[in-house]
PDB file of all heavy atoms in Angstrom:
ATOM      1  N   ILE A 298       1.687  10.609   7.011  1.00  0.00           N
ATOM      2  CA  ILE A 298       2.468  10.957   5.822  1.00  0.00           C
ATOM      3  C   ILE A 298       1.943  12.320   5.369  1.00  0.00           C
ATOM      4  O   ILE A 298       0.749  12.490   5.152  1.00  0.00           O
ATOM      5  CB  ILE A 298       2.268   9.929   4.698  1.00  0.00           C
ATOM      6  CG1 ILE A 298       2.627   8.527   5.187  1.00  0.00           C
ATOM      7  CG2 ILE A 298       3.086  10.322   3.467  1.00  0.00           C
ATOM      8  CD1 ILE A 298       2.064   7.415   4.326  1.00  0.00           C
ATOM      9  N   LYS A 306       3.023  11.405  -1.748  1.00  0.00           N
ATOM     10  CA  LYS A 306       2.395  10.889  -0.513  1.00  0.00           C
ATOM     11  C   LYS A 306       1.506   9.680  -0.796  1.00  0.00           C
ATOM     12  O   LYS A 306       1.595   8.670  -0.111  1.00  0.00           O
ATOM     13  CB  LYS A 306       1.564  11.991   0.168  1.00  0.00           C
ATOM     14  CG  LYS A 306       2.361  13.193   0.605  1.00  0.00           C
ATOM     15  CD  LYS A 306       1.501  14.265   1.227  1.00  0.00           C
ATOM     16  CE  LYS A 306       0.423  14.837   0.349  1.00  0.00           C
ATOM     17  NZ  LYS A 306       0.892  15.628  -0.788  1.00  0.00           N
ATOM     18  N   SER A 307       0.663   9.785  -1.805  1.00  0.00           N
ATOM     19  CA  SER A 307      -0.242   8.679  -2.132  1.00  0.00           C
ATOM     20  C   SER A 307       0.519   7.467  -2.631  1.00  0.00           C
ATOM     21  O   SER A 307       0.157   6.328  -2.317  1.00  0.00           O
ATOM     22  CB  SER A 307      -1.283   9.124  -3.163  1.00  0.00           C
ATOM     23  OG  SER A 307      -2.133  10.101  -2.591  1.00  0.00           O
ATOM     24  N   THR A 308       1.568   7.685  -3.387  1.00  0.00           N
ATOM     25  CA  THR A 308       2.391   6.572  -3.868  1.00  0.00           C
ATOM     26  C   THR A 308       3.035   5.853  -2.689  1.00  0.00           C
ATOM     27  O   THR A 308       3.053   4.612  -2.631  1.00  0.00           O
ATOM     28  CB  THR A 308       3.486   7.096  -4.831  1.00  0.00           C
ATOM     29  OG1 THR A 308       2.844   7.777  -5.910  1.00  0.00           O
ATOM     30  CG2 THR A 308       4.350   5.974  -5.361  1.00  0.00           C
ATOM     31  N   PHE A 309       3.541   6.613  -1.728  1.00  0.00           N
ATOM     32  CA  PHE A 309       4.150   6.019  -0.538  1.00  0.00           C
ATOM     33  C   PHE A 309       3.100   5.271   0.286  1.00  0.00           C
ATOM     34  O   PHE A 309       3.339   4.164   0.768  1.00  0.00           O
ATOM     35  CB  PHE A 309       4.839   7.110   0.285  1.00  0.00           C
ATOM     36  CG  PHE A 309       5.600   6.596   1.466  1.00  0.00           C
ATOM     37  CD1 PHE A 309       6.583   5.628   1.322  1.00  0.00           C
ATOM     38  CD2 PHE A 309       5.339   7.071   2.738  1.00  0.00           C
ATOM     39  CE1 PHE A 309       7.284   5.151   2.416  1.00  0.00           C
ATOM     40  CE2 PHE A 309       6.034   6.600   3.838  1.00  0.00           C
ATOM     41  CZ  PHE A 309       7.008   5.635   3.676  1.00  0.00           C
ATOM     42  N   PHE A 310       1.922   5.859   0.443  1.00  0.00           N
ATOM     43  CA  PHE A 310       0.809   5.219   1.146  1.00  0.00           C
ATOM     44  C   PHE A 310       0.493   3.868   0.490  1.00  0.00           C
ATOM     45  O   PHE A 310       0.384   2.849   1.167  1.00  0.00           O
ATOM     46  CB  PHE A 310      -0.410   6.147   1.106  1.00  0.00           C
ATOM     47  CG  PHE A 310      -1.663   5.555   1.687  1.00  0.00           C
ATOM     48  CD1 PHE A 310      -1.916   5.620   3.045  1.00  0.00           C
ATOM     49  CD2 PHE A 310      -2.625   4.978   0.860  1.00  0.00           C
ATOM     50  CE1 PHE A 310      -3.091   5.099   3.583  1.00  0.00           C
ATOM     51  CE2 PHE A 310      -3.794   4.465   1.382  1.00  0.00           C
ATOM     52  CZ  PHE A 310      -4.033   4.521   2.744  1.00  0.00           C
ATOM     53  N   GLU A 311       0.348   3.872  -0.827  1.00  0.00           N
ATOM     54  CA  GLU A 311       0.036   2.635  -1.564  1.00  0.00           C
ATOM     55  C   GLU A 311       1.117   1.573  -1.339  1.00  0.00           C
ATOM     56  O   GLU A 311       0.808   0.397  -1.172  1.00  0.00           O
ATOM     57  CB  GLU A 311      -0.094   2.924  -3.061  1.00  0.00           C
ATOM     58  CG  GLU A 311      -1.314   3.724  -3.423  1.00  0.00           C
ATOM     59  CD  GLU A 311      -2.585   2.900  -3.482  1.00  0.00           C
ATOM     60  OE1 GLU A 311      -2.536   1.656  -3.439  1.00  0.00           O
ATOM     61  OE2 GLU A 311      -3.658   3.522  -3.558  1.00  0.00           O
ATOM     62  N   LYS A 312       2.371   2.004  -1.315  1.00  0.00           N
ATOM     63  CA  LYS A 312       3.481   1.061  -1.085  1.00  0.00           C
ATOM     64  C   LYS A 312       3.380   0.445   0.306  1.00  0.00           C
ATOM     65  O   LYS A 312       3.544  -0.766   0.473  1.00  0.00           O
ATOM     66  CB  LYS A 312       4.809   1.790  -1.277  1.00  0.00           C
ATOM     67  CG  LYS A 312       6.033   0.904  -1.116  1.00  0.00           C
ATOM     68  CD  LYS A 312       7.303   1.685  -1.441  1.00  0.00           C
ATOM     69  CE  LYS A 312       8.516   0.941  -1.017  1.00  0.00           C
ATOM     70  NZ  LYS A 312       9.227   0.204  -1.998  1.00  0.00           N
ATOM     71  N   LEU A 313       3.102   1.263   1.310  1.00  0.00           N
ATOM     72  CA  LEU A 313       2.956   0.738   2.673  1.00  0.00           C
ATOM     73  C   LEU A 313       1.790  -0.241   2.771  1.00  0.00           C
ATOM     74  O   LEU A 313       1.921  -1.320   3.360  1.00  0.00           O
ATOM     75  CB  LEU A 313       2.761   1.878   3.672  1.00  0.00           C
ATOM     76  CG  LEU A 313       3.972   2.728   3.998  1.00  0.00           C
ATOM     77  CD1 LEU A 313       3.572   3.908   4.877  1.00  0.00           C
ATOM     78  CD2 LEU A 313       5.052   1.911   4.673  1.00  0.00           C
ATOM     79  N   ILE A 314       0.651   0.113   2.190  1.00  0.00           N
ATOM     80  CA  ILE A 314      -0.529  -0.755   2.233  1.00  0.00           C
ATOM     81  C   ILE A 314      -0.225  -2.081   1.542  1.00  0.00           C
ATOM     82  O   ILE A 314      -0.553  -3.163   2.055  1.00  0.00           O
ATOM     83  CB  ILE A 314      -1.754  -0.055   1.584  1.00  0.00           C
ATOM     84  CG1 ILE A 314      -2.118   1.220   2.329  1.00  0.00           C
ATOM     85  CG2 ILE A 314      -2.937  -1.012   1.466  1.00  0.00           C
ATOM     86  CD1 ILE A 314      -2.344   1.091   3.814  1.00  0.00           C
ATOM     87  N   ILE A 327      -9.867   3.951   3.442  1.00  0.00           N
ATOM     88  CA  ILE A 327     -10.206   4.585   2.168  1.00  0.00           C
ATOM     89  C   ILE A 327      -8.980   5.249   1.544  1.00  0.00           C
ATOM     90  O   ILE A 327      -8.017   5.579   2.225  1.00  0.00           O
ATOM     91  CB  ILE A 327     -11.311   5.661   2.333  1.00  0.00           C
ATOM     92  CG1 ILE A 327     -10.892   6.737   3.340  1.00  0.00           C
ATOM     93  CG2 ILE A 327     -12.644   5.027   2.699  1.00  0.00           C
ATOM     94  CD1 ILE A 327     -11.797   7.958   3.383  1.00  0.00           C
ATOM     95  N   GLY A 394      -6.009   2.438   7.006  1.00  0.00           N
ATOM     96  CA  GLY A 394      -5.328   3.438   6.190  1.00  0.00           C
ATOM     97  C   GLY A 394      -6.310   4.439   5.629  1.00  0.00           C
ATOM     98  O   GLY A 394      -7.416   4.061   5.212  1.00  0.00           O
ATOM     99  N   ILE A 395      -5.935   5.701   5.634  1.00  0.00           N
ATOM    100  CA  ILE A 395      -6.778   6.751   5.052  1.00  0.00           C
ATOM    101  C   ILE A 395      -5.891   7.703   4.257  1.00  0.00           C
ATOM    102  O   ILE A 395      -4.975   8.305   4.790  1.00  0.00           O
ATOM    103  CB  ILE A 395      -7.544   7.545   6.142  1.00  0.00           C
ATOM    104  CG1 ILE A 395      -8.475   6.606   6.919  1.00  0.00           C
ATOM    105  CG2 ILE A 395      -8.318   8.700   5.500  1.00  0.00           C
ATOM    106  CD1 ILE A 395      -9.184   7.262   8.090  1.00  0.00           C
ATOM    107  N   ASP A 396      -6.191   7.803   2.977  1.00  0.00           N
ATOM    108  CA  ASP A 396      -5.516   8.746   2.082  1.00  0.00           C
ATOM    109  C   ASP A 396      -6.613   9.577   1.431  1.00  0.00           C
ATOM    110  O   ASP A 396      -7.241   9.120   0.501  1.00  0.00           O
ATOM    111  CB  ASP A 396      -4.693   7.996   1.040  1.00  0.00           C
ATOM    112  CG  ASP A 396      -4.013   8.935   0.052  1.00  0.00           C
ATOM    113  OD1 ASP A 396      -4.023  10.163   0.271  1.00  0.00           O
ATOM    114  OD2 ASP A 396      -3.473   8.438  -0.958  1.00  0.00           O
ATOM    115  N   ILE A 423      -2.485   4.400   9.408  1.00  0.00           N
ATOM    116  CA  ILE A 423      -1.599   5.103   8.479  1.00  0.00           C
ATOM    117  C   ILE A 423      -2.450   6.146   7.772  1.00  0.00           C
ATOM    118  O   ILE A 423      -3.442   5.814   7.119  1.00  0.00           O
ATOM    119  CB  ILE A 423      -0.969   4.136   7.463  1.00  0.00           C
ATOM    120  CG1 ILE A 423      -0.136   3.083   8.188  1.00  0.00           C
ATOM    121  CG2 ILE A 423      -0.123   4.911   6.445  1.00  0.00           C
ATOM    122  CD1 ILE A 423       0.356   1.963   7.303  1.00  0.00           C
ATOM    123  N   VAL A 425      -2.544   9.743   5.330  1.00  0.00           N
ATOM    124  CA  VAL A 425      -1.984  10.835   4.551  1.00  0.00           C
ATOM    125  C   VAL A 425      -2.741  12.064   5.029  1.00  0.00           C
ATOM    126  O   VAL A 425      -3.969  12.105   4.987  1.00  0.00           O
ATOM    127  CB  VAL A 425      -2.177  10.625   3.034  1.00  0.00           C
ATOM    128  CG1 VAL A 425      -1.692  11.845   2.268  1.00  0.00           C
ATOM    129  CG2 VAL A 425      -1.449   9.369   2.573  1.00  0.00           C
TER     130      VAL A 425
END
Side-chain angles (χ1 to χ4, degrees):
I298 303 162
K306 298 178 300 292
S307 294
T308 302
F309 185 55
F310 175 85
E311 290 281 349
K312 182 175 168 99
L313 287 173
I314 299 306
I327 57 170
I395 299 175
D396 178 10
I423 299 171
V425 175

